[in-house]
Amino acid sequence: MINYVEKYHHHLYYSLVLWCFGIFILQRIEPFSLKIGTAFPVLLVPAVMVIACFLREWSGFVSGLLCGIALDTVTNGTQYFHTLTLMLLGVAVGLTFRLLLNRNIKAMIIVSVLGSILFFLIKWLFLDLLSGDSSAYQLLIRYYLPSAVYTSLFSIPFFYYVKHLCKKYLVEQ
């Protein structure tokens, strides 16, 4: 096993926190809506996955925690749902990239599509299906699956942005 650990300057972490905060605020501004049809992306999901891809599982855990808390503060009726889901997703993606995959755009697209679909399926399961909503299956087809695919598309520009930041703030050893 290779014990190579990349070290980053602390400005990388500050930049990522400000970037996630900017994404969160930008998505909450009404005139700037990214909604297409019935698909509405949750931009913090690919942000957490890309951070976990580059900075591994502990940073994925922390970014999932912070982004989940931010989403739970503005969402009605979902106490701790986003926090727990994004924390687990960040850890899972971080471990997947540490143990199985290389950090490249193809792997990130595959993981992003699967992670987004998993996030929206879990959301659908707990918030609609188990609550006894009679139109749960229609919501899955018309809202959740298109939103999952649309959300995963944002991982491509996010991947290149975080890759640029990681190269910029890498500390030479």
Side-chain angles (χ1 to χ4, degrees), residues 8-146:
Y8 297 103
H9 198 269
H10 62 277
H11 290 302
L12 170 70
Y13 302 104
Y14 299 145
S15 299
L16 290 175
V17 167
L18 288 175
W19 175 63
C20 287
F21 182 71
I23 289 172
F24 175 71
I25 294 298
L26 190 65
Q27 190 169 6
R28 295 293 161 200
I29 296 174
E30 283 299 319
F32 185 75
S33 177
L34 296 172
K35 185 176 180 180
I36 296 178
T38 59
F40 186 77
V42 180
L43 296 181
L44 291 178
V45 173
V48 167
M49 288 191 282
V50 170
I51 290 170
C53 166
F54 281 98
L55 301 176
R56 307 300 187 207
E57 65 273 2
W58 285 108
S59 295
F61 175 81
V62 172
S63 65
L65 174 73
L66 295 176
C67 292
I69 289 171
L71 283 175
D72 282 336
T73 59
V74 296
T75 308
N76 294 333
T78 58
Q79 295 179 355
Y80 310 116
F81 172 78
H82 291 102
T83 304
L84 290 173
T85 308
L86 287 179
M87 279 187 328
L88 293 175
L89 187 63
V91 170
V93 169
L95 286 173
T96 300
F97 276 98
R98 176 184 288 276
L99 301 173
L100 298 175
L101 299 173
N102 294 328
R103 290 183 294 196
N104 58 34
I105 190 66
K106 292 178 206 172
M108 188 65 230
I109 291 171
I110 293 168
V111 168
S112 177
V113 168
L114 294 176
S116 295
I117 289 173
L118 181 66
F119 174 80
F120 280 99
L121 279 177
I122 291 171
K123 189 173 183 175
W124 170 75
L125 178 71
F126 285 110
L127 300 182
D128 293 319
L129 189 65
L130 294 179
S131 68
D133 192 357
S134 62
S135 62
Y137 292 105
Q138 184 179 10
L139 285 172
L140 175 67
I141 301 300
R142 291 187 46 93
Y143 172 72
Y144 288 108
L145 291 179

